[in-house]
Amino acid sequence: MIAHTTTPFITIVSGATASGKSSFAVKLAQKTNAEIVNLDSVQIYKDFEIGAAKLSPEEMQAVPHHLIGVLQPQERCNVALYTQMAAKVIETITDKNKKVLFAGGSNMYITCLLQGLDELPDTDLALRAQLELMSKHELYERLQQVDSVTAALLSPNDRVRVIRALEATLISNRPASELRREHAFSKPHYYACILVLCWKRELLYKRIEQRTRLMLDSGLVEETKNLILRYGKKLPALRSLGYAQAAEYLDGRKNLQELSDSISMLTRRFAKRQMTFWRNEPQKRAWKTRPAGRDEFLQLDYSEKDNRKKSTKGFKVLTWDLQRVLSELALLEERGCSQTEVWYLDAEKIF
């Protein structure tokens, strides 16, 4: 716990998939007397190991880990359930006078953990029944008409969230994006220092390809086959990256090379969306960001060039090694934290 504030303080390690969040969190926890809380929506499930990129039991021995493998595969995890479980874990860790360190890339969990759930209206069962009869294309087209801002953030395939956004908009007669914007600046449940690991684009893509090969060599296809045989094909987590493509391979819709290529390609796209989140979310939430004017920083490119704009988007990142990160965290703790801060770190310097 941090002195000088009544709002609890936590540290979060985040960033793109394959950026080394789990291993960095272990290093950080060992140096700061912290326990690690999982922030990944697939690692929370039992029996999802290889495709979820869980650390091995040996790697987790050095530091206590929480919310890993705590749900049965057939259970459904949502943001509300996750934040409830996380709040209990935070209380347990702080009662032991230890620091709380979250690690993972499920960005929606991070926002809701810090700010609470969006204040959307309760479900209207009659309206929900009507929406359920519509196709995903009809639903998405309707959402574009009534709330183009939310529609732009969602995939047409994300039927659950499209329906929820439509429902909230139609019940309140106000766009769900407007309701969420009002909620964004409400009193936070926790303050956090969020450490975002940033890699040069070509290095991150290389790490993604290496991890894809490692997962396949380690038995991702066999793991997926066993999960399907044991629990059936309708498990929510089987729709996640890696598992969904392995299931297609088992159905004969992909050969091994196509499997590898599709996992790498889709993971690159996912990583880009994650980093787009970290470009936009701090400003939306009025979170403080570093590098600031006084910091030494490096400009990193992370996304594909947009030929229409003839430019490449990038991040300004702090050129700190692990020891510098530790000393800056200690300074933050000493002075007290009165708002959430996001630090963009050059991952090459960390590792």
Side-chain angles (χ1 to χ4, degrees):
M1 295 284 289
I2 296 296
H4 316 304
T5 177
T6 57
T7 303
F9 174 84
I10 59 178
T11 305
I12 299 173
V13 174
S14 194
T17 186
S19 60
K21 298 182 289 293
S22 296
S23 57
F24 175 56
V26 170
K27 290 181 181 179
L28 201 60
Q30 289 177 306
K31 299 286 187 179
T32 59
N33 189 34
E35 296 189 5
I36 296 173
V37 188
N38 167 50
L39 245 173
D40 183 279
S41 60
V42 183
Q43 290 189 12
I44 203 165
Y45 287 107
K46 179 184 176 183
D47 296 335
F48 281 76
E49 307 292 332
I50 298 169
K54 285 180 183 174
L55 293 175
S56 68
E58 293 75 23
E59 290 173 309
M60 289 192 288
Q61 278 183 349
V63 177
H65 283 67
H66 303 268
L67 298 188
I68 292 182
V70 295
L71 293 183
Q72 294 297 322
Q74 61 269 37
E75 293 183 90
R76 187 175 293 275
C77 186
N78 54 37
V79 174
L81 176 60
Y82 177 82
T83 53
Q84 290 170 10
M85 293 190 297
K88 292 178 182 178
V89 171
I90 291 172
E91 185 176 352
T92 298
I93 296 173
T94 53
D95 282 348
K96 294 187 285 186
N97 291 319
K98 300 188 75 174
K99 294 185 174 64
V100 181
L101 175 59
F102 281 78
S106 293
N107 292 334
M108 183 172 63
Y109 284 7
I110 295 175
T111 296
C112 293
L113 176 68
L114 299 181
Q115 300 289 149
L117 297 175
D118 292 327
E119 299 296 333
L120 298 183
D122 292 337
T123 295
D124 181 311
L125 295 180
L127 176 59
R128 173 65 65 91
Q130 294 176 24
L131 296 175
E132 290 288 359
L133 294 174
M134 298 170 66
S135 71
K136 65 180 182 181
H137 300 293
E138 291 171 330
L139 288 166
Y140 192 73
E141 184 177 345
R142 179 68 173 135
L143 183 60
Q144 287 178 312
Q145 293 170 353
V146 298
D147 188 359
S148 59
V149 174
T150 297
L153 297 174
L154 297 176
S155 165
N157 297 321
D158 194 347
R159 184 180 177 89
V160 172
R161 292 193 177 91
V162 170
I163 286 178
R164 182 64 181 129
L166 255 180
E167 183 182 55
T169 299
L170 295 174
I171 291 172
S172 64
N173 203 29
R174 296 173 64 196
S177 56
E178 185 178 308
L179 299 174
R180 290 191 172 101
R181 185 164 55 249
E182 290 177 357
H183 177 72
F185 298 99
S186 60
K187 187 179 186 301
H189 291 196
Y190 305 99
Y191 291 132
C193 182
I194 307 173
L195 310 177
V196 181
L197 298 179
C198 304
W199 289 89
K200 294 176 183 175
R201 177 168 53 87
E202 61 273 17
L203 291 180
L204 179 61
Y205 286 5
K206 183 178 179 180
R207 290 174 64 89
I208 287 171
E209 291 171 5
Q210 290 173 340
R211 192 171 80 166
T212 298
R213 288 196 298 269
L214 178 60
M215 285 181 173
L216 291 173
D217 291 344
S218 300
L220 173 62
V221 171
E222 188 66 22
E223 180 179 75
T224 305
K225 180 180 179 181
N226 291 335
L227 287 166
I228 292 173
L229 288 172
R230 187 171 179 184
Y231 301 106
K233 291 184 176 182
K234 295 185 178 180
L235 291 180
L238 281 176
R239 295 195 293 268
S240 61
L241 249 175
Y243 291 108
Q245 291 70 47
E248 291 176 352
Y249 170 81
L250 290 167
D251 285 342
R253 287 181 281 164
K254 280 182 169 57
N255 61 39
L256 195 58
Q257 186 60 54
E258 289 170 337
L259 171 61
S260 178
D261 291 345
S262 65
I263 292 175
S264 293
M265 177 192 68
L266 292 170
T267 305
R268 290 194 299 269
R269 290 179 181 175
F270 179 51
K272 185 177 178 181
R273 291 197 301 272
Q274 287 174 305
M275 296 310 288
T276 299
F277 174 93
W278 286 118
R279 174 183 297 283
N280 299 328
E281 191 71 1
Q283 182 177 358
K284 286 168 53 180
R285 305 290 171 181
W287 294 340
K288 179 180 177 180
T289 60
R290 295 181 69 175
R294 64 185 181 280
D295 297 312
E296 294 181 9
F297 64 86
L298 176 70
Q299 180 84 14
L300 287 188
D301 294 336
Y302 82 98
S303 63
E304 300 286 356
K305 289 185 178 179
D306 186 336
N307 292 327
R308 295 168 299 177
K309 298 181 180 178
K310 303 296 182 183
S311 65
T312 302
K313 294 181 179 179
F315 276 94
K316 292 179 179 179
V317 297
L318 298 160
T319 56
W320 295 347
D321 59 13
L322 176 59
Q323 191 55 49
R324 177 69 185 277
V325 172
L326 291 168
S327 64
E328 293 289 338
L329 283 172
L331 287 173
L332 178 62
E333 180 173 353
E334 182 180 342
R335 71 171 184 265
C337 186
S338 58
Q339 68 179 120
T340 287
E341 298 192 11
V342 180
W343 299 355
Y344 301 106
L345 302 177
D346 181 359
E348 275 194 276
K349 297 291 184 181
I350 299 295
F351 292 98

mmCIF file with all atom_site columns, all heavy atoms in Angstrom, residues 145-162:
data_model
loop_
_atom_site.group_PDB
_atom_site.id
_atom_site.type_symbol
_atom_site.label_atom_id
_atom_site.label_alt_id
_atom_site.label_comp_id
_atom_site.label_asym_id
_atom_site.label_entity_id
_atom_site.label_seq_id
_atom_site.pdbx_PDB_ins_code
_atom_site.Cartn_x
_atom_site.Cartn_y
_atom_site.Cartn_z
_atom_site.occupancy
_atom_site.B_iso_or_equiv
_atom_site.pdbx_formal_charge
_atom_site.auth_seq_id
_atom_site.auth_comp_id
_atom_site.auth_asym_id
_atom_site.auth_atom_id
_atom_site.pdbx_PDB_model_num
ATOM 1   N N   . GLN A 1 145 ? -25.591 2.701   -36.970 1.00 0.00 ? 145 GLN A N   1
ATOM 2   C CA  . GLN A 1 145 ? -26.574 3.771   -37.137 1.00 0.00 ? 145 GLN A CA  1
ATOM 3   C C   . GLN A 1 145 ? -26.783 4.568   -35.851 1.00 0.00 ? 145 GLN A C   1
ATOM 4   O O   . GLN A 1 145 ? -26.923 5.790   -35.888 1.00 0.00 ? 145 GLN A O   1
ATOM 5   C CB  . GLN A 1 145 ? -27.910 3.182   -37.596 1.00 0.00 ? 145 GLN A CB  1
ATOM 6   C CG  . GLN A 1 145 ? -27.880 2.578   -38.991 1.00 0.00 ? 145 GLN A CG  1
ATOM 7   C CD  . GLN A 1 145 ? -29.141 1.785   -39.308 1.00 0.00 ? 145 GLN A CD  1
ATOM 8   O OE1 . GLN A 1 145 ? -30.005 1.577   -38.438 1.00 0.00 ? 145 GLN A OE1 1
ATOM 9   N NE2 . GLN A 1 145 ? -29.270 1.330   -40.541 1.00 0.00 ? 145 GLN A NE2 1
ATOM 10  N N   . VAL A 1 146 ? -26.788 3.875   -34.710 1.00 0.00 ? 146 VAL A N   1
ATOM 11  C CA  . VAL A 1 146 ? -27.145 4.549   -33.448 1.00 0.00 ? 146 VAL A CA  1
ATOM 12  C C   . VAL A 1 146 ? -25.936 4.923   -32.597 1.00 0.00 ? 146 VAL A C   1
ATOM 13  O O   . VAL A 1 146 ? -26.036 5.789   -31.725 1.00 0.00 ? 146 VAL A O   1
ATOM 14  C CB  . VAL A 1 146 ? -28.118 3.691   -32.612 1.00 0.00 ? 146 VAL A CB  1
ATOM 15  C CG1 . VAL A 1 146 ? -29.411 3.473   -33.383 1.00 0.00 ? 146 VAL A CG1 1
ATOM 16  C CG2 . VAL A 1 146 ? -27.489 2.362   -32.216 1.00 0.00 ? 146 VAL A CG2 1
ATOM 17  N N   . ASP A 1 147 ? -24.797 4.273   -32.815 1.00 0.00 ? 147 ASP A N   1
ATOM 18  C CA  . ASP A 1 147 ? -23.593 4.564   -32.025 1.00 0.00 ? 147 ASP A CA  1
ATOM 19  C C   . ASP A 1 147 ? -22.362 4.184   -32.833 1.00 0.00 ? 147 ASP A C   1
ATOM 20  O O   . ASP A 1 147 ? -21.735 3.153   -32.613 1.00 0.00 ? 147 ASP A O   1
ATOM 21  C CB  . ASP A 1 147 ? -23.614 3.800   -30.699 1.00 0.00 ? 147 ASP A CB  1
ATOM 22  C CG  . ASP A 1 147 ? -22.479 4.212   -29.763 1.00 0.00 ? 147 ASP A CG  1
ATOM 23  O OD1 . ASP A 1 147 ? -21.667 5.069   -30.151 1.00 0.00 ? 147 ASP A OD1 1
ATOM 24  O OD2 . ASP A 1 147 ? -22.407 3.666   -28.642 1.00 0.00 ? 147 ASP A OD2 1
ATOM 25  N N   . SER A 1 148 ? -22.001 5.043   -33.777 1.00 0.00 ? 148 SER A N   1
ATOM 26  C CA  . SER A 1 148 ? -20.875 4.740   -34.675 1.00 0.00 ? 148 SER A CA  1
ATOM 27  C C   . SER A 1 148 ? -19.546 4.669   -33.927 1.00 0.00 ? 148 SER A C   1
ATOM 28  O O   . SER A 1 148 ? -18.634 3.944   -34.340 1.00 0.00 ? 148 SER A O   1
ATOM 29  C CB  . SER A 1 148 ? -20.792 5.794   -35.781 1.00 0.00 ? 148 SER A CB  1
ATOM 30  O OG  . SER A 1 148 ? -20.612 7.097   -35.224 1.00 0.00 ? 148 SER A OG  1
ATOM 31  N N   . VAL A 1 149 ? -19.439 5.387   -32.817 1.00 0.00 ? 149 VAL A N   1
ATOM 32  C CA  . VAL A 1 149 ? -18.191 5.377   -32.042 1.00 0.00 ? 149 VAL A CA  1
ATOM 33  C C   . VAL A 1 149 ? -17.933 3.986   -31.470 1.00 0.00 ? 149 VAL A C   1
ATOM 34  O O   . VAL A 1 149 ? -16.839 3.431   -31.608 1.00 0.00 ? 149 VAL A O   1
ATOM 35  C CB  . VAL A 1 149 ? -18.237 6.426   -30.913 1.00 0.00 ? 149 VAL A CB  1
ATOM 36  C CG1 . VAL A 1 149 ? -17.008 6.309   -30.020 1.00 0.00 ? 149 VAL A CG1 1
ATOM 37  C CG2 . VAL A 1 149 ? -18.325 7.828   -31.510 1.00 0.00 ? 149 VAL A CG2 1
ATOM 38  N N   . THR A 1 150 ? -18.950 3.413   -30.811 1.00 0.00 ? 150 THR A N   1
ATOM 39  C CA  . THR A 1 150 ? -18.791 2.064   -30.267 1.00 0.00 ? 150 THR A CA  1
ATOM 40  C C   . THR A 1 150 ? -18.628 1.041   -31.375 1.00 0.00 ? 150 THR A C   1
ATOM 41  O O   . THR A 1 150 ? -17.818 0.113   -31.269 1.00 0.00 ? 150 THR A O   1
ATOM 42  C CB  . THR A 1 150 ? -20.000 1.702   -29.391 1.00 0.00 ? 150 THR A CB  1
ATOM 43  O OG1 . THR A 1 150 ? -20.055 2.602   -28.285 1.00 0.00 ? 150 THR A OG1 1
ATOM 44  C CG2 . THR A 1 150 ? -19.892 0.276   -28.862 1.00 0.00 ? 150 THR A CG2 1
ATOM 45  N N   . ALA A 1 151 ? -19.357 1.184   -32.459 1.00 0.00 ? 151 ALA A N   1
ATOM 46  C CA  . ALA A 1 151 ? -19.257 0.243   -33.578 1.00 0.00 ? 151 ALA A CA  1
ATOM 47  C C   . ALA A 1 151 ? -17.831 0.180   -34.116 1.00 0.00 ? 151 ALA A C   1
ATOM 48  O O   . ALA A 1 151 ? -17.330 -0.897  -34.453 1.00 0.00 ? 151 ALA A O   1
ATOM 49  C CB  . ALA A 1 151 ? -20.227 0.638   -34.683 1.00 0.00 ? 151 ALA A CB  1
ATOM 50  N N   . ALA A 1 152 ? -17.164 1.319   -34.172 1.00 0.00 ? 152 ALA A N   1
ATOM 51  C CA  . ALA A 1 152 ? -15.798 1.352   -34.692 1.00 0.00 ? 152 ALA A CA  1
ATOM 52  C C   . ALA A 1 152 ? -14.817 0.596   -33.800 1.00 0.00 ? 152 ALA A C   1
ATOM 53  O O   . ALA A 1 152 ? -13.757 0.155   -34.252 1.00 0.00 ? 152 ALA A O   1
ATOM 54  C CB  . ALA A 1 152 ? -15.340 2.804   -34.856 1.00 0.00 ? 152 ALA A CB  1
ATOM 55  N N   . LEU A 1 153 ? -15.172 0.433   -32.521 1.00 0.00 ? 153 LEU A N   1
ATOM 56  C CA  . LEU A 1 153 ? -14.297 -0.249  -31.576 1.00 0.00 ? 153 LEU A CA  1
ATOM 57  C C   . LEU A 1 153 ? -14.545 -1.749  -31.526 1.00 0.00 ? 153 LEU A C   1
ATOM 58  O O   . LEU A 1 153 ? -13.746 -2.489  -30.946 1.00 0.00 ? 153 LEU A O   1
ATOM 59  C CB  . LEU A 1 153 ? -14.487 0.330   -30.171 1.00 0.00 ? 153 LEU A CB  1
ATOM 60  C CG  . LEU A 1 153 ? -14.130 1.809   -29.986 1.00 0.00 ? 153 LEU A CG  1
ATOM 61  C CD1 . LEU A 1 153 ? -14.517 2.268   -28.593 1.00 0.00 ? 153 LEU A CD1 1
ATOM 62  C CD2 . LEU A 1 153 ? -12.652 2.040   -30.236 1.00 0.00 ? 153 LEU A CD2 1
ATOM 63  N N   . LEU A 1 154 ? -15.650 -2.215  -32.113 1.00 0.00 ? 154 LEU A N   1
ATOM 64  C CA  . LEU A 1 154 ? -16.028 -3.618  -32.009 1.00 0.00 ? 154 LEU A CA  1
ATOM 65  C C   . LEU A 1 154 ? -15.950 -4.308  -33.363 1.00 0.00 ? 154 LEU A C   1
ATOM 66  O O   . LEU A 1 154 ? -16.121 -3.682  -34.409 1.00 0.00 ? 154 LEU A O   1
ATOM 67  C CB  . LEU A 1 154 ? -17.457 -3.745  -31.460 1.00 0.00 ? 154 LEU A CB  1
ATOM 68  C CG  . LEU A 1 154 ? -17.702 -3.229  -30.045 1.00 0.00 ? 154 LEU A CG  1
ATOM 69  C CD1 . LEU A 1 154 ? -19.180 -3.348  -29.692 1.00 0.00 ? 154 LEU A CD1 1
ATOM 70  C CD2 . LEU A 1 154 ? -16.856 -3.985  -29.037 1.00 0.00 ? 154 LEU A CD2 1
ATOM 71  N N   . SER A 1 155 ? -15.725 -5.597  -33.331 1.00 0.00 ? 155 SER A N   1
ATOM 72  C CA  . SER A 1 155 ? -15.782 -6.418  -34.534 1.00 0.00 ? 155 SER A CA  1
ATOM 73  C C   . SER A 1 155 ? -17.227 -6.840  -34.780 1.00 0.00 ? 155 SER A C   1
ATOM 74  O O   . SER A 1 155 ? -17.960 -7.131  -33.827 1.00 0.00 ? 155 SER A O   1
ATOM 75  C CB  . SER A 1 155 ? -14.902 -7.658  -34.367 1.00 0.00 ? 155 SER A CB  1
ATOM 76  O OG  . SER A 1 155 ? -15.209 -8.634  -35.358 1.00 0.00 ? 155 SER A OG  1
ATOM 77  N N   . PRO A 1 156 ? -17.656 -6.917  -36.034 1.00 0.00 ? 156 PRO A N   1
ATOM 78  C CA  . PRO A 1 156 ? -19.006 -7.426  -36.313 1.00 0.00 ? 156 PRO A CA  1
ATOM 79  C C   . PRO A 1 156 ? -19.216 -8.844  -35.787 1.00 0.00 ? 156 PRO A C   1
ATOM 80  O O   . PRO A 1 156 ? -20.354 -9.249  -35.535 1.00 0.00 ? 156 PRO A O   1
ATOM 81  C CB  . PRO A 1 156 ? -19.075 -7.389  -37.848 1.00 0.00 ? 156 PRO A CB  1
ATOM 82  C CG  . PRO A 1 156 ? -18.062 -6.373  -38.252 1.00 0.00 ? 156 PRO A CG  1
ATOM 83  C CD  . PRO A 1 156 ? -16.958 -6.477  -37.250 1.00 0.00 ? 156 PRO A CD  1
ATOM 84  N N   . ASN A 1 157 ? -18.114 -9.586  -35.615 1.00 0.00 ? 157 ASN A N   1
ATOM 85  C CA  . ASN A 1 157 ? -18.203 -10.952 -35.105 1.00 0.00 ? 157 ASN A CA  1
ATOM 86  C C   . ASN A 1 157 ? -18.395 -11.022 -33.596 1.00 0.00 ? 157 ASN A C   1
ATOM 87  O O   . ASN A 1 157 ? -18.717 -12.081 -33.059 1.00 0.00 ? 157 ASN A O   1
ATOM 88  C CB  . ASN A 1 157 ? -16.945 -11.742 -35.488 1.00 0.00 ? 157 ASN A CB  1
ATOM 89  C CG  . ASN A 1 157 ? -16.798 -11.893 -36.988 1.00 0.00 ? 157 ASN A CG  1
ATOM 90  O OD1 . ASN A 1 157 ? -17.783 -12.107 -37.689 1.00 0.00 ? 157 ASN A OD1 1
ATOM 91  N ND2 . ASN A 1 157 ? -15.584 -11.766 -37.485 1.00 0.00 ? 157 ASN A ND2 1
ATOM 92  N N   . ASP A 1 158 ? -18.166 -9.900  -32.905 1.00 0.00 ? 158 ASP A N   1
ATOM 93  C CA  . ASP A 1 158 ? -18.281 -9.875  -31.443 1.00 0.00 ? 158 ASP A CA  1
ATOM 94  C C   . ASP A 1 158 ? -19.748 -9.664  -31.072 1.00 0.00 ? 158 ASP A C   1
ATOM 95  O O   . ASP A 1 158 ? -20.154 -8.602  -30.584 1.00 0.00 ? 158 ASP A O   1
ATOM 96  C CB  . ASP A 1 158 ? -17.401 -8.777  -30.861 1.00 0.00 ? 158 ASP A CB  1
ATOM 97  C CG  . ASP A 1 158 ? -17.201 -8.907  -29.361 1.00 0.00 ? 158 ASP A CG  1
ATOM 98  O OD1 . ASP A 1 158 ? -17.940 -9.711  -28.745 1.00 0.00 ? 158 ASP A OD1 1
ATOM 99  O OD2 . ASP A 1 158 ? -16.328 -8.227  -28.818 1.00 0.00 ? 158 ASP A OD2 1
ATOM 100 N N   . ARG A 1 159 ? -20.541 -10.689 -31.295 1.00 0.00 ? 159 ARG A N   1
ATOM 101 C CA  . ARG A 1 159 ? -21.991 -10.589 -31.160 1.00 0.00 ? 159 ARG A CA  1
ATOM 102 C C   . ARG A 1 159 ? -22.420 -10.170 -29.752 1.00 0.00 ? 159 ARG A C   1
ATOM 103 O O   . ARG A 1 159 ? -23.319 -9.346  -29.586 1.00 0.00 ? 159 ARG A O   1
ATOM 104 C CB  . ARG A 1 159 ? -22.615 -11.950 -31.513 1.00 0.00 ? 159 ARG A CB  1
ATOM 105 C CG  . ARG A 1 159 ? -24.131 -11.970 -31.512 1.00 0.00 ? 159 ARG A CG  1
ATOM 106 C CD  . ARG A 1 159 ? -24.679 -13.345 -31.877 1.00 0.00 ? 159 ARG A CD  1
ATOM 107 N NE  . ARG A 1 159 ? -26.122 -13.357 -31.807 1.00 0.00 ? 159 ARG A NE  1
ATOM 108 C CZ  . ARG A 1 159 ? -26.929 -13.042 -32.807 1.00 0.00 ? 159 ARG A CZ  1
ATOM 109 N NH1 . ARG A 1 159 ? -26.400 -12.701 -33.977 1.00 0.00 ? 159 ARG A NH1 1
ATOM 110 N NH2 . ARG A 1 159 ? -28.236 -13.074 -32.665 1.00 0.00 ? 159 ARG A NH2 1
ATOM 111 N N   . VAL A 1 160 ? -21.758 -10.707 -28.723 1.00 0.00 ? 160 VAL A N   1
ATOM 112 C CA  . VAL A 1 160 ? -22.146 -10.422 -27.339 1.00 0.00 ? 160 VAL A CA  1
ATOM 113 C C   . VAL A 1 160 ? -22.027 -8.931  -27.032 1.00 0.00 ? 160 VAL A C   1
ATOM 114 O O   . VAL A 1 160 ? -22.962 -8.304  -26.507 1.00 0.00 ? 160 VAL A O   1
ATOM 115 C CB  . VAL A 1 160 ? -21.288 -11.247 -26.359 1.00 0.00 ? 160 VAL A CB  1
ATOM 116 C CG1 . VAL A 1 160 ? -21.555 -10.808 -24.923 1.00 0.00 ? 160 VAL A CG1 1
ATOM 117 C CG2 . VAL A 1 160 ? -21.572 -12.732 -26.526 1.00 0.00 ? 160 VAL A CG2 1
ATOM 118 N N   . ARG A 1 161 ? -20.888 -8.333  -27.382 1.00 0.00 ? 161 ARG A N   1
ATOM 119 C CA  . ARG A 1 161 ? -20.671 -6.918  -27.055 1.00 0.00 ? 161 ARG A CA  1
ATOM 120 C C   . ARG A 1 161 ? -21.475 -5.991  -27.961 1.00 0.00 ? 161 ARG A C   1
ATOM 121 O O   . ARG A 1 161 ? -21.877 -4.908  -27.537 1.00 0.00 ? 161 ARG A O   1
ATOM 122 C CB  . ARG A 1 161 ? -19.177 -6.587  -27.097 1.00 0.00 ? 161 ARG A CB  1
ATOM 123 C CG  . ARG A 1 161 ? -18.391 -7.265  -25.983 1.00 0.00 ? 161 ARG A CG  1
ATOM 124 C CD  . ARG A 1 161 ? -16.993 -6.690  -25.832 1.00 0.00 ? 161 ARG A CD  1
ATOM 125 N NE  . ARG A 1 161 ? -16.300 -7.303  -24.731 1.00 0.00 ? 161 ARG A NE  1
ATOM 126 C CZ  . ARG A 1 161 ? -15.535 -8.390  -24.825 1.00 0.00 ? 161 ARG A CZ  1
ATOM 127 N NH1 . ARG A 1 161 ? -15.357 -8.961  -25.998 1.00 0.00 ? 161 ARG A NH1 1
ATOM 128 N NH2 . ARG A 1 161 ? -14.943 -8.899  -23.770 1.00 0.00 ? 161 ARG A NH2 1
ATOM 129 N N   . VAL A 1 162 ? -21.680 -6.394  -29.208 1.00 0.00 ? 162 VAL A N   1
ATOM 130 C CA  . VAL A 1 162 ? -22.518 -5.586  -30.102 1.00 0.00 ? 162 VAL A CA  1
ATOM 131 C C   . VAL A 1 162 ? -23.950 -5.526  -29.561 1.00 0.00 ? 162 VAL A C   1
ATOM 132 O O   . VAL A 1 162 ? -24.559 -4.445  -29.502 1.00 0.00 ? 162 VAL A O   1
ATOM 133 C CB  . VAL A 1 162 ? -22.503 -6.160  -31.536 1.00 0.00 ? 162 VAL A CB  1
ATOM 134 C CG1 . VAL A 1 162 ? -23.560 -5.473  -32.398 1.00 0.00 ? 162 VAL A CG1 1
ATOM 135 C CG2 . VAL A 1 162 ? -21.119 -5.973  -32.171 1.00 0.00 ? 162 VAL A CG2 1
#
